[in-house]
Amino acid sequence: MERTLIIFKPDCVAKKVEGEVLDRFLKNGFNLIACKMSRLNMDILKRHYCDHIEKPFFPPLADFMQSGNVIVAVLERENAIAKAREMLGPTDSSKAPKGTIRGDFGTDMRVNVCHASDSAESAEREISNFFSKEEIFG
Ligand code: CMP
């Protein structure tokens, strides 16, 4: 079993599609083992996006991620990291095929419904940034 951190981004919550997106994950064999609603601040975003802080897209990304409530979750299944990213589709929603989560609900590169961890190392770091051990029910 593998764990991945999923953030249901402000656009997902504003569109009220977080239930439908979570349902897709659950129907694809993921177990929900941790979940909370949050309003992200710069401190947690700098830790979460530590690899992107110097990139030109980081300031508008950080603004967007603070623009509304998010839901942060840990999902578990075999091959969870690759499977979640396959279900989301490419980062740029405008290039994501229909049937993928971003293809069906996303807008563009930034407004793209969900974040999902991109490696086992990132997943471990990201999960511990948002959840204590006691908050994970795996
Ligand atoms: P996410 O999975 O949250 O991880 C990093 C985020 O940065 C990514 O989704 C996009 O929302 C955003 N991102 C990555 N590359 C770009 C880019 N070239 N321009 C704008 N935003 C980007």
Side-chain angles (χ1 to χ4, degrees):
M1 292 288 258
E2 187 174 66
R3 294 175 176 184
T4 186
L5 183 92
I6 303 290
I7 304 176
F8 297 76
K9 294 188 179 189
D11 60 315
C12 180
V13 175
K15 279 187 183 159
K16 300 191 175 186
V17 294
E18 66 272 38
E20 205 169 333
V21 174
L22 177 60
D23 193 48
R24 287 195 189 191
F25 285 117
L26 298 178
K27 289 206 165 92
N28 275 272
F30 285 88
N31 296 320
L32 178 64
I33 60 168
C35 188
K36 63 172 85 161
M37 182 165 263
S38 186
R39 188 81 174 218
L40 303 181
N41 61 37
M42 205 55 164
D43 285 348
I44 203 159
L45 283 166
K46 279 185 175 166
R47 288 198 297 275
H48 176 69
Y49 285 129
C50 58
D51 297 334
H52 298 310
I53 288 175
E54 300 305 326
K55 309 242 174 81
F57 63 77
F58 179 73
L61 172 65
D63 284 348
F64 168 61
M65 293 299 287
Q66 296 174 92
S67 69
N69 298 333
V70 301
I71 296 166
V72 192
V74 182
L75 295 176
E76 186 176 69
R77 61 160 264 176
E78 276 180 23
N79 205 21
I81 292 165
K83 184 66 185 174
R85 292 175 71 82
E86 175 198 314
M87 288 177 62
L88 286 178
T91 308
D92 186 348
S93 306
S94 68
K95 297 195 168 70
K98 287 288 159 206
T100 64
I101 291 167
R102 287 175 175 147
D104 292 345
F105 305 118
T107 304
D108 56 25
M109 182 77 105
R110 183 178 311 125
V111 182
N112 65 354
V113 196
C114 284
H115 164 83
S117 307
D118 66 3
S119 67
E121 298 70 42
S122 301
E124 196 179 328
R125 178 182 59 73
E126 292 172 5
I127 289 167
S128 65
N129 189 30
F130 286 100
F131 293 98
S132 67
K133 281 198 168 56
E134 294 71 35
E135 292 175 310
I136 300 173
F137 296 85

